[in-house]
Amino acid sequence: MPKNVIFYARYSTDRQDEQSIETQIELGRALAAERGWNLVEIYEDRAVSGTKLKSRPGIQQVLRRIRQRDVDILLCVSVDRISRDMEHSSGILKQLRHYRVELWTVQAKAPVADIELGLRSIISHDMIEQTRYRTREGMKTTVRKGKAAGGIAYGYRIKLEYDAKGDRVPGMREINEEEAEIVRWIYQQYALGRSPKELAVDLNNRMPPVPGPKGAKWRDTAIRGHRDRGAGILNNETYIGRIVYNRRRFDKNPETESREARLNDRSEWVVGEAPELRIVDDELWTRVKRRQMEVEASFSQTTTNRLNRAHRPQYVLSGLLECAHCAGPYAVMAKDRYGCTNRQKKLPIDHLGNIVCTNSKTIARQELEQRVLDAIPDNLLSTEQITTIQDRVNKQMAASRKAGERSKDKLEAGLREATRKQEAIANQITERLLAGQPKIDAFDRMLDELQKQCEAMRQELDHVSARKKAAFKPFTLNPSMCNLMTKALTMAVRAGNSECDAVKEQFNIVRELVQKVVIAPSPDGKSADLTIHGRLASILASMKAFHEHSKAMRADFVDDYAQRLKDGELKGQKAKLDFVARFRSVLAEEEADWKRLQVSVVAGAGFEPAAFRL
């Protein structure tokens, strides 16, 4: 019976030839035909780096397919098409082994062994690091010569200059006079006291409009930027004839696979002099820097800045408010009132036809908070609901405890595998040294990483063993305390004490219930309409639905009772009382169903209606 094969192809960047995918596929088809395999599916990733995993849809489809257990072989042209990351390569190989899928390459026309994949991924990783190093050092040399090493900043354009061979010299820039005039105007106006927001509005309102950086609309953030990072129009030192490189480095977050910027020490910066690129004189630059420090000093004296640094919401609904017209954020404006940020900044909105948001409605912070808090039911959690939630949590804790016990075997197996890899790499290092071959730094890094993994697994094994010995303590909740905490928070906010740190610590009680609050002008324009999204909306919707349902049931009961009396079916007091008791029993069952629904919503499951209007 022929083996089922899936083929994976990838190329790294959009600057590579897309035909390479087709070439890889043809090579894969040829090998499958030669071996008599059944090629069932082809997956591909175009212009995606092999150092990523989560953001490659093709390789994710491959991993999902092998879990179906209908594939015998995963085929690719070479191992580096699968991954160029040591950790990812190891993880993919583990999954292939678990589902009994062999990894083959067209290049070797043979299955890939564990040690081969590990060594090849080490070499690929080392090659990438060497390429990054050479690229950074080349850029540093370029900057020291007074040339640009990055993109084209606003105010400049590429200078066409050629060497003796007729090739264009990279990194050459010259001043774009039209844009340079805008840069000088921004510096002059800011030094005179105008804010970046005012300048952005002025530039966007000019006729004809002045295109911003990269042709986009002007925003205050593009002008203000970040002084420490050298970002933004007001902080670009190229405007005074200095090119600064290596101010920041970008590290990949292993969890999100996104790049995160971090400031380098000033001693690592590389500065090149380019007096021909000067747009702003030293006197104007100094005035702008002096005003920036004055503005920063004034903000550092407020509690707002301190709270922002603490990453704690300043108010109970901070960051949860949205404009109904432009979908932009609502934030505190003057006089402790919330208003649309996009309208306040007078920013043109693309999906509104490049006009400024028309939602001019503001609402007092205390009124907004009170209306939302008033919507929380007094008895959000009853004794029966708490019992149900406790049971769910305790079952999950018990299941987690059992899973921890099962993980002990996996940890021990993983520790043995990591130790085996350490020995294999150590043997490779020894063989290379004895053969007089150069040392590979990536081997040392791999050994260090494996040692960290071993230590982490040993700690986890100790933790699992300690947890197994510890007595199981059931999780308990006091419904009265939960409801009292909610009421106390509501009273504190109403009394204007929500800025107290002790009150802020309880904000999550409300923020767990509210996903967002959308604010719109009421039809008469005199007040604001609020629409709540999230769990609170679900609870209120279920309460309203049950209220309407029970109201209808009572009306039907009255009509039915009157009709039965008229028809003479209810004779005697006992018959009447029995009929009322049956109705109350049915109503109680309906109410019990609603309570189960409410518990489901509070616990984070169940239906999730879109919104609830206050």
Side-chain angles (χ1 to χ4, degrees):
M1 184 176 178
K3 293 185 176 182
N4 289 335
V5 179
I6 57 174
F7 184 81
Y8 175 74
R10 178 186 64 82
Y11 71 90
S12 297
T13 70
D14 54 9
R15 287 173 291 186
Q16 289 182 330
D17 185 4
E18 289 194 27
Q19 291 299 318
S20 63
I21 287 282
E22 281 64 40
T23 302
Q24 292 177 50
I25 293 173
E26 286 303 316
L27 291 171
R29 289 184 188 278
L31 181 60
E34 178 185 324
R35 295 274 176 170
W37 293 335
N38 180 26
L39 185 59
V40 296
E41 194 68 69
I42 295 174
Y43 301 97
E44 61 185 53
D45 280 312
R46 296 175 182 263
V48 185
S49 170
T51 61
K52 297 182 178 181
L53 180 64
K54 296 178 182 177
S55 55
R56 277 196 284 158
I59 197 67
Q60 292 299 323
Q61 289 175 334
V62 167
L63 296 177
R64 284 194 293 269
R65 182 58 185 267
I66 65 173
R67 295 187 191 109
Q68 297 178 16
R69 299 179 184 271
D70 62 347
V71 175
D72 301 304
I73 294 174
L74 169 60
L75 179 64
C76 57
V77 170
S78 58
V79 170
D80 60 0
R81 296 303 88 194
I82 293 294
S83 178
R84 286 185 177 273
D85 183 280
M86 294 182 291
E87 181 182 359
H88 296 164
S89 296
S90 177
I92 292 171
L93 189 62
K94 280 184 179 179
Q95 292 199 50
L96 293 175
R97 294 292 180 263
H98 177 71
Y99 292 103
R100 306 289 180 87
V101 177
E102 294 182 346
L103 175 62
W104 280 62
T105 63
V106 175
Q107 193 176 59
K109 293 187 178 181
V112 178
D114 294 20
I115 189 65
E116 179 187 353
L117 181 63
L119 293 176
R120 286 186 179 276
S121 63
I122 291 173
I123 295 170
S124 291
H125 182 82
D126 188 63
M127 182 183 70
I128 291 172
E129 290 300 318
Q130 290 181 15
T131 302
R132 286 174 179 166
Y133 174 78
R134 288 194 295 267
T135 301
R136 282 195 298 268
E137 293 304 311
M139 287 183 170
K140 289 178 182 178
T141 302
T142 298
V143 170
R144 292 188 184 102
K145 293 179 180 179
K147 300 177 184 178
I152 304 173
Y154 186 83
Y156 302 99
R157 59 179 170 232
I158 294 175
K159 182 179 181 181
L160 300 178
E161 188 171 309
Y162 300 90
D163 58 19
K165 297 180 181 179
D167 297 326
R168 185 174 67 82
V169 179
M172 301 300 292
R173 302 287 185 266
E174 62 183 5
I175 295 174
N176 181 327
E177 285 301 333
E178 281 188 38
E179 294 181 354
E181 283 301 316
I182 298 298
V183 171
R184 295 188 191 99
W185 178 83
I186 289 173
Y187 272 73
Q188 291 164 357
Q189 296 300 308
Y190 182 81
L192 291 173
R194 298 185 70 185
S195 69
K197 185 188 72 175
E198 290 179 289
L199 300 179
V201 171
D202 193 329
L203 291 168
N204 286 328
N205 289 340
R206 288 189 183 184
M207 294 302 295
V210 178
K214 298 180 181 179
K217 296 180 180 65
W218 285 95
R219 293 182 177 270
D220 59 330
T221 50
I223 297 173
R224 181 187 301 108
H226 195 288
R227 191 162 64 90
D228 292 338
R229 298 173 187 166
I233 297 290
L234 294 175
N235 303 299
N236 191 340
E237 294 188 41
T238 310
Y239 297 142
I240 56 172
R242 297 177 74 238
I243 300 175
V244 182
Y245 175 72
N246 206 36
R247 193 189 298 262
R248 293 183 291 170
R249 70 179 186 275
F250 294 87
D251 298 328
K252 187 178 76 171
N253 186 319
E255 294 182 1
T256 64
E257 296 189 351
S258 60
R259 297 200 313 163
E260 296 179 355
R262 298 178 183 177
L263 285 174
N264 287 328
D265 187 82
R266 188 174 286 270
S267 61
E268 299 179 42
W269 296 5
V270 179
V271 180
E273 299 296 330
E276 71 279 4
L277 298 181
R278 177 183 285 272
I279 293 177
V280 176
D281 59 56
D282 290 337
E283 189 272 335
L284 182 55
W285 175 268
T286 303
R287 285 167 57 199
V288 165
K289 295 296 113 179
R290 186 183 300 118
R291 179 157 184 255
Q292 282 182 319
M293 288 188 286
E294 291 171 355
V295 171
E296 185 176 335
S298 66
F299 274 104
S300 66
Q301 297 172 2
T302 65
T303 57
T304 302
N305 197 43
R306 176 178 63 83
L307 288 168
N308 284 343
R309 287 198 297 268
H311 299 288
R312 179 187 293 168
Q314 185 176 0
Y315 304 115
V316 67
L317 297 174
S318 294
L320 303 179
L321 306 177
E322 182 180 293
C323 173
H325 287 194
C326 68
Y330 251 65
V332 172
M333 307 297 182
K335 298 180 181 179
D336 214 20
R337 295 183 69 85
Y338 280 109
C340 176
T341 301
N342 285 339
R343 179 175 176 81
Q344 194 262 348
K345 291 184 176 183
K346 298 182 180 178
L347 295 175
I349 307 301
D350 291 337
H351 63 269
L352 295 181
N354 293 325
I355 64 171
V356 174
C357 179
T358 57
N359 185 4
S360 60
K361 191 63 194 174
T362 62
I363 181 171
R365 178 175 61 82
Q366 286 190 338
E367 177 193 345
L368 174 64
E369 292 174 350
Q370 184 170 331
R371 286 172 63 179
V372 173
L373 290 169
D374 283 346
I376 299 177
D378 288 338
N379 294 312
L380 178 65
L381 298 173
S382 67
T383 304
E384 294 84 0
Q385 293 165 344
I386 286 290
T387 302
T388 305
I389 293 175
Q390 282 180 176
D391 290 344
R392 288 186 181 184
V393 173
N394 285 324
K395 286 180 181 177
Q396 290 175 359
M397 290 174 65
S400 176
R401 188 179 179 88
K402 291 181 180 178
E405 294 172 359
R406 289 195 298 268
S407 68
K408 183 178 179 180
D409 295 338
K410 292 184 178 180
L411 286 169
E412 291 174 343
L415 186 59
R416 289 194 296 270
E417 177 66 16
T419 304
R420 188 187 65 78
K421 287 183 178 179
Q422 283 181 312
E423 293 173 354
I425 293 173
N427 291 335
Q428 285 289 326
I429 293 174
T430 303
E431 289 176 7
R432 291 182 65 85
L433 289 175
L434 292 175
Q437 295 177 327
K439 178 182 177 183
I440 297 180
D441 292 337
F443 280 155
D444 293 334
R445 290 196 295 270
M446 186 64 172
L447 280 175
D448 292 340
E449 183 61 31
L450 284 169
Q451 184 61 32
K452 290 179 183 178
Q453 292 177 15
C454 289
E455 291 173 358
M457 284 187 282
R458 290 190 184 101
Q459 290 178 1
E460 184 64 21
L461 278 169
D462 293 340
H463 178 68
V464 169
S465 300
R467 188 169 53 188
K468 185 177 181 180
K469 295 177 182 177
F472 177 72
K473 294 182 179 179
F475 172 77
T476 57
L477 271 174
N478 187 326
S480 299
M481 288 300 297
C482 290
N483 290 321
L484 280 173
M485 287 174 65
T486 305
K487 290 179 181 178
L489 175 61
T490 304
M491 291 175 63
V493 172
R494 288 175 180 167
N497 297 327
S498 61
E499 296 185 35
C500 172
D501 284 349
V503 176
K504 291 179 186 297
E505 292 175 0
Q506 310 304 324
F507 278 178
N508 280 342
I509 295 175
V510 176
R511 295 174 71 86
E512 282 293 321
L513 294 172
V514 179
Q515 176 190 352
K516 66 179 178 180
V517 180
V518 179
I519 305 172
S522 60
D524 58 10
K526 296 180 180 179
S527 60
D529 282 348
L530 307 182
T531 305
I532 291 180
H533 295 248
R535 294 181 185 174
L536 181 55
S538 302
I539 294 168
L540 294 174
S542 64
M543 289 177 66
K544 182 177 181 181
F546 177 72
H547 176 73
E548 296 296 330
H549 181 61
S550 62
K551 184 178 178 181
M553 286 180 65
R554 291 176 189 277
D556 290 342
F557 165 74
V558 171
D559 291 343
D560 191 23
Y561 186 79
Q563 186 62 43
R564 288 174 183 268
L565 281 176
K566 183 179 178 181
D567 296 341
E569 294 182 17
L570 300 177
K571 296 178 180 180
Q573 188 67 17
K574 185 178 183 303
K576 295 175 183 178
L577 291 175
D578 287 345
F579 184 78
V580 172
R582 286 196 301 272
F583 168 74
R584 287 176 176 170
S585 176
V586 172
L587 188 62
E589 289 180 4
E590 295 280 348
E591 186 174 8
D593 288 339
W594 172 79
K595 285 182 177 179
R596 283 192 291 272
L597 172 62
Q598 186 178 352
V599 169
S600 178
V601 173
V602 171
F607 83 102
E608 187 81 6
F612 191 89
R613 294 277 295 275
L614 293 184

